[in-house]
Amino acid sequence: MLHGLARRGTLLAALTVSGAAGCLLPTDRSDELRVEMVALPNLFIQDTLQLRARLMEAGGGEVRNAVIRYESDNAAVVSVTQGGRLLAVGVGTANVVARAIGYDNAPPAMQVAQVRGVLEIDSIRNLNALRAPGNAWFGDLLEISGVGLSPESLFVVQIGGVEAEIFEYVPVDPARRNGLGRLFVWAPPPATPKSQLFVLGFNGGLLFPDTINVIQRDLFEFNDTIPASLGPVPLGFRNPGLAFESRARTETEAAVDWYTFTNTQTADRTILVFSEMVGAETFITLLTDSIAWDGTTFDFAFGSSAWTIGRETYQCDGLQVRSAAAGGEPVAFAEIPFPFTLVALGDLPAGTYHIFIPYVPQGDAASYELLIFPAYASLAGLARDSEEENDYCDVAGNIPLGNVSLTIDNPHDIDWYRFTVPGGGQVFDVTATTDGTAEADLDLYLIADFRPDSLVLVNAETNAGPSESITQFLGPGDYFLVVFDFAGVPVGYTMNTTFTAPPAGAIPTPAVLSAADLQQLRAKREAAKTMATPGRALPEAIRSWRP
């Protein structure tokens, strides 16, 4: 009997060893085994995934043919079949467990499944390292991290109730553009302090409970009397979150934002200043020489060789055009205020240039956009003409003779032409006629060039209509003809210019504008201030440009 029991024990021991080798029976080495499961990726609603796990020996070898079963402890977040097919059904976390069947002592594997919603915000932070945590100035770039932030799925992003324009979106996983990602927006004026973030998209809306403290200044303040340097901008510059601040100005400050930028080499440049709220009050000034704030007179002083471009602010070598008949009164070229300023300059030489943006302070901070890019932009599809670049007196081209086709390609395009009348004088005759574009209204200004002393207006034709003409007997000397559109309408035009010998005994007209003509110019300038420019949207090709 004892002999039989001994033989039976030997057989059972043999079966135990055989079962361990073939994974048919539990083994006394199960405490040396463990289940390993592949880590779970980021999961989003409706994601499906095949789980992967295996039974491993202590030495690192895999136990072949081991059967693994899976389960979830929170079926409201992820459902898992026994075979390991996972479906994300709700937002939240769940523990997913993998067990080896028949190896009860082998520790199971567990992974935490986190399922993200279709729209979530994790954080908002300022990329400007100079700011204290939780603070932003207008025009700062803010980084929003979360789910569902792809611009293609969003209707609006607001900071403090004000729409924030999107700069860039970077998905964490390029294959999941609407998954985890980082959205970059400009802090927009006039967002108030303690602003909350609101995002609305196809997948619903979400108000992020944390706040960011928006300082009521833009990131370039204080640039009223000291310019903010944008530095070299070979690839351009854009910021739509700049602000006309609402604070009251003192007698030592100016209602102006002042910038400089540098051309490292000769290049085409287009400068845009755009504001939906205060655009009609803004204009732009570019200077080749210098400008300085005089703390004694509380005013700006132009350099001796400065040229300028801007509504009623044109200068040439630091000189304004004046009328000799009125004691040297400055004569501004009258223009209707336009809702944005767009200046395109071809082959702008290397150097540092100033951008001046004067404005009338408002009750609330108002947003504006500044854009500089290395190209020559034209509205209405008009190309620059054969005489460009001639937007300022330094680059005025010789006036073309005969009949030529030209363009005013932008609202602030101004064409300068120069010519010299030899001894004895000549009869100068010029006619400029538009191509029929509605609302266009060309004006002509004939200027005697007495540099370095003065520029004197000789004649001006500023009547309403598609055509203007000047016929004038001029004495010997240097002259400019200036052509632009009073209404700010890009337009093609033809110009026919001739010079003829004067009749015998004729006396040239002195370089003096008559009192009647000067009064007409004053009246047109005053009328321009009350005239509304026809509404024109800024072309999306320009607004969507990115440096």
Side-chain angles (χ1 to χ4, degrees):
M1 187 69 176
L2 290 174
H3 179 72
L5 289 175
R7 289 177 54 85
R8 184 179 299 176
T10 303
L11 178 59
L12 289 174
L15 289 173
T16 301
V17 172
S18 176
C23 297
L24 298 176
L25 294 175
T27 173
D28 57 2
R29 293 191 299 114
S30 60
D31 58 343
E32 300 177 5
L33 303 176
R34 69 187 184 280
V35 178
E36 293 183 353
M37 183 164 52
V38 176
L40 301 180
N42 291 312
L43 296 171
F44 304 90
I45 289 288
Q46 298 304 313
D47 273 356
T48 61
L49 180 68
Q50 178 60 52
L51 300 174
R52 302 292 179 191
R54 57 186 179 171
L55 181 63
M56 302 296 296
E57 296 178 336
E62 180 180 353
V63 178
R64 300 292 181 181
N65 302 319
V67 177
I68 308 294
R69 291 289 182 259
Y70 303 87
E71 61 185 37
S72 165
D73 72 349
N74 191 347
V77 174
V78 291
S79 65
V80 179
T81 66
Q82 287 191 349
R85 194 64 182 171
L86 178 149
L87 172 64
V89 294
V91 176
T93 59
N95 295 322
V96 177
V97 178
R99 304 179 189 276
I101 302 302
Y103 296 85
D104 294 341
N105 291 330
M110 186 183 73
Q111 294 286 343
V112 177
Q114 182 177 12
V115 179
R116 309 296 298 266
V118 291
L119 183 60
E120 292 184 12
I121 301 173
D122 292 335
S123 66
I124 176 172
R125 70 184 185 95
N126 194 345
L127 293 185
N128 192 328
L130 299 178
R131 306 285 182 250
N135 287 333
W137 290 40
F138 298 140
D140 276 342
L141 265 181
L142 306 179
E143 178 191 76
I144 305 167
S145 299
V147 176
L149 298 176
S150 174
E152 290 85 353
S153 65
L154 298 179
F155 295 123
V156 67
V157 178
Q158 291 182 343
I159 305 290
V162 182
E163 185 170 354
E165 188 167 339
I166 294 172
F167 169 69
E168 187 181 18
Y169 173 73
V170 179
V172 171
D173 180 358
R176 295 178 178 271
R177 286 192 55 80
N178 207 31
L180 284 170
R182 294 172 295 155
L183 186 70
F184 301 90
V185 301
W186 283 280
T192 58
K194 304 301 179 185
S195 292
Q196 285 188 302
L197 169 68
F198 175 70
V199 176
L200 177 65
F202 293 116
N203 298 319
L206 187 63
L207 182 67
F208 189 53
D210 293 352
T211 60
I212 188 164
N213 185 38
V214 181
I215 309 299
Q216 301 299 291
R217 306 282 184 270
D218 71 38
L219 75 165
F220 292 109
E221 288 293 325
F222 297 87
N223 58 337
D224 306 275
T225 56
I226 299 175
S229 174
L230 304 179
V233 285
L235 298 179
F237 169 89
R238 180 174 187 256
N239 194 316
L242 303 176
F244 301 118
E245 286 82 12
S246 59
R247 74 180 188 274
R249 305 284 167 160
T250 70
E251 63 179 6
T252 61
E253 296 177 323
V256 63
D257 281 349
W258 181 8
Y259 303 91
T260 62
F261 74 93
T262 300
N263 248 12
T264 55
Q265 61 185 10
T266 298
D268 289 352
R269 284 291 182 187
T270 297
I271 297 94
L272 168 73
V273 179
F274 175 74
S275 172
E276 294 179 349
M277 295 181 65
V278 202
E281 300 297 335
T282 67
F283 58 95
I284 195 167
T285 304
L286 303 181
L287 311 160
T288 59
D289 182 277
S290 63
I291 188 170
W293 172 256
D294 189 330
T296 302
T297 62
F298 303 116
D299 201 359
F300 293 94
F302 291 101
S304 60
S305 61
W307 51 262
T308 67
I309 298 177
R311 184 168 62 87
E312 301 185 3
T313 65
Y314 300 97
Q315 293 202 10
C316 173
D317 282 344
L319 301 172
Q320 287 182 284
V321 178
R322 295 179 177 270
S323 171
E329 173 187 349
V331 179
F333 305 153
E335 299 174 69
I336 299 177
F338 208 77
F340 57 85
T341 296
L342 182 64
V343 175
L345 300 170
D347 293 328
L348 186 65
T352 297
Y353 297 89
H354 297 246
I355 302 175
F356 239 43
I357 309 176
Y359 64 93
V360 177
Q362 304 295 301
D364 294 315
S367 174
Y368 73 90
E369 173 180 340
L370 174 61
L371 172 66
I372 307 170
F373 56 105
Y376 191 100
S378 174
L379 297 185
L382 291 175
R384 52 180 147 181
D385 61 41
S386 60
E387 301 301 319
E388 293 288 347
E389 176 56 49
N390 63 339
D391 280 18
Y392 49 100
C393 74
D394 286 25
V395 291
N398 293 324
I399 195 166
L401 299 179
N403 201 56
V404 294
S405 296
L406 303 162
T407 59
I408 300 294
D409 51 68
N410 283 308
H412 288 80
D413 185 23
I414 179 168
D415 291 344
W416 286 75
Y417 304 97
R418 64 170 178 260
F419 60 93
T420 299
V421 174
Q426 290 181 324
V427 176
F428 170 68
D429 190 289
V430 61
T431 299
T433 305
T434 72
D435 60 9
T437 299
E439 301 167 350
D441 180 11
L442 291 184
D443 283 346
L444 306 180
Y445 290 81
L446 178 60
I447 302 164
D449 179 9
F450 296 129
R451 287 178 297 171
D453 298 322
S454 63
L455 300 171
V456 177
L457 188 62
V458 177
N459 202 338
E461 286 300 323
T462 60
N463 297 314
S467 183
E468 298 285 8
S469 297
I470 292 177
T471 300
Q472 190 92 32
F473 180 20
L474 300 174
D478 296 323
Y479 296 87
F480 287 116
L481 178 70
V482 172
V483 183
F484 68 96
D485 191 83
F486 168 76
V489 176
V491 63
Y493 70 97
T494 57
M495 187 169 72
N496 191 10
T497 306
T498 61
F499 293 90
T500 57
I507 300 175
T509 303
V512 175
L513 192 70
S514 70
D517 288 339
L518 184 60
Q519 184 58 39
Q520 179 182 351
L521 286 178
R522 291 190 191 122
K524 185 160 189 175
R525 188 166 65 248
E526 290 303 312
K529 297 177 181 178
T530 65
M531 298 176 69
T533 303
R536 293 184 180 85
L538 196 63
E540 189 59 30
I542 294 176
R543 293 205 66 187
S544 63
W545 184 88
R546 297 292 187 271

